[in-house]
């Protein structure tokens, strides 16, 4: 299935590269949450032999990685909060798993909310 961006509502249309970047961020949502959980419980790798000054930036690297992932998770969560509850699961499954929209509402309704969600994720991440 192609990743088509509806063009009807011009104020929510993103440049193609930004649109694709946001889609991949949303698709990696579950993985980002898992990585944040793993970073918190993981232990640093043992040092291999003597190192220069003996000072490690390992904790700083963990903090930076966790902060980057948390920022993306929060952006998706905030955008998902703007979608009505009855459409959230259908929109998220369509983006992440590329499943067809559920039959409980029209395709155009789901497309409408999907477009807004993608736009708001981009806005929350300061990509636009």
């Amino acid at each position: 299935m192609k990743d088509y961006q509806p063009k009807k509502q011009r104020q929510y249309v993103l440049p193609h590269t930004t649109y694709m970047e946001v889609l991949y961020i949303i698709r990696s949502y579950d993985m980002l949450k898992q990585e944040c959980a793993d970073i918190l419980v993981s232990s640093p790798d043992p040092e291999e032999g003597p190192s220069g000054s003996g000072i490690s930036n390992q904790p700083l690297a963990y903090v930076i990685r966790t902060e980057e992932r948390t920022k993306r998770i929060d952006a998706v969560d905030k955008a998902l909060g703007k979608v009505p509850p009855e459409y959230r699961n259908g929109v998220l499954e369509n983006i992440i798993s590329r499943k067809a929209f559920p039959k409980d509402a029209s395709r155009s309704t789901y497309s409408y909310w999907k477009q807004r969600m993608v736009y708001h994720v981009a806005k929350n991440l300061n990509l636009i």
Side-chain angles (χ1 to χ4, degrees), residues 14-33:
L14 301 173
H16 180 71
T17 55
T18 305
Y19 180 75
M20 295 306 293
E21 181 180 356
V22 171
L23 280 183
Y24 285 113
I25 289 170
I26 296 170
R27 285 182 184 149
S28 66
Y29 179 71
D30 292 331
M31 182 190 67
L32 291 170
K33 286 180 114 176

Side-chain angles (χ1 to χ4, degrees), residues 33 57 70 81 91 107 121 127:
K33 286 180 114 176
N57 281 335
T70 304
V91 168
R107 186 179 189 285
V121 170
L127 298 174

Side-chain angles (χ1 to χ4, degrees), residues 31-106:
M31 182 190 67
L32 291 170
K33 286 180 114 176
Q34 184 62 43
E35 285 180 3
C36 277
D38 290 346
I39 287 173
L40 293 175
V41 297
S42 68
S43 61
D45 296 332
E47 301 268 339
E48 291 184 18
S51 59
S53 64
I55 299 173
S56 172
N57 281 335
Q58 191 91 17
L60 180 60
Y62 284 151
V63 169
I64 292 171
R65 278 195 305 179
T66 304
E67 182 181 346
E68 290 170 357
R69 284 158 179 77
T70 304
K71 182 180 172 186
R72 290 179 177 187
I73 291 168
D74 290 344
V76 174
D77 286 340
K78 284 180 188 176
L80 197 56
K82 295 186 182 209
V83 176
E86 59 269 17
Y87 303 122
R88 286 181 190 161
N89 193 34
V91 168
L92 206 54
E93 281 186 3
N94 177 263
I95 295 173
I96 293 174
S97 305
R98 296 183 178 185
K99 291 184 180 178
F101 291 122
K103 302 292 184 197
D104 61 348
S106 71

